Amino acid sequence: MKPILTIFTPTYNRAYILPKLYESLIKQTNKNFIWLIVDDGSDDNTEDIIKKWKEENYIDIEYIKQHNQGKHIAHNTGVDNCKTELFF
């Protein structure tokens, strides 16, 4: 079934807290969603952590890394890359 929901997370150097969200998302009984993460230029290990999660393939993750431009630009990037009917 094609996902109808995008769960959006803008992030910047939040590798220490993203695992809590990931654990919550993989425990959902309905996994008919895409987790869209826009990394606004993190210089911590965010990219490595997300790469590992994508390899686990428990949920559909789309990851976009861009140069640091601020949360509002990361949000616009998320909206521009949403492929589902609903965006949260």
Side-chain angles (χ1 to χ4, degrees), residues 62-78:
E62 185 174 338
Y63 176 70
I64 299 169
K65 184 159 187 176
Q66 64 185 23
H67 296 290
N68 183 268
Q69 301 172 71
K71 185 177 178 181
H72 62 291
I73 301 296
H75 190 92
N76 290 344
T77 299

Side-chain angles (χ1 to χ4, degrees), residues 1-5 30-34 60 84:
M1 183 184 322
K2 182 181 174 185
I4 63 165
L5 173 66
N30 183 339
K31 294 187 174 76
N32 191 21
F33 61 85
I34 297 170
D60 189 358
T84 60

Side-chain angles (χ1 to χ4, degrees), residues 38-56:
V38 176
D39 182 346
D40 195 41
S42 295
D43 57 16
D44 61 3
N45 62 334
T46 296
E47 189 170 4
D48 296 331
I49 290 170
I50 294 169
K51 180 180 178 184
K52 179 181 155 256
W53 294 338
K54 287 182 66 121
E55 290 171 359
E56 290 174 356

Side-chain angles (χ1 to χ4, degrees), residues 3 7 31 33-36 54 57-62:
I7 298 173
K31 294 187 174 76
F33 61 85
I34 297 170
W35 186 20
L36 173 59
K54 287 182 66 121
N57 201 32
Y58 291 130
I59 57 174
D60 189 358
I61 300 173
E62 185 174 338

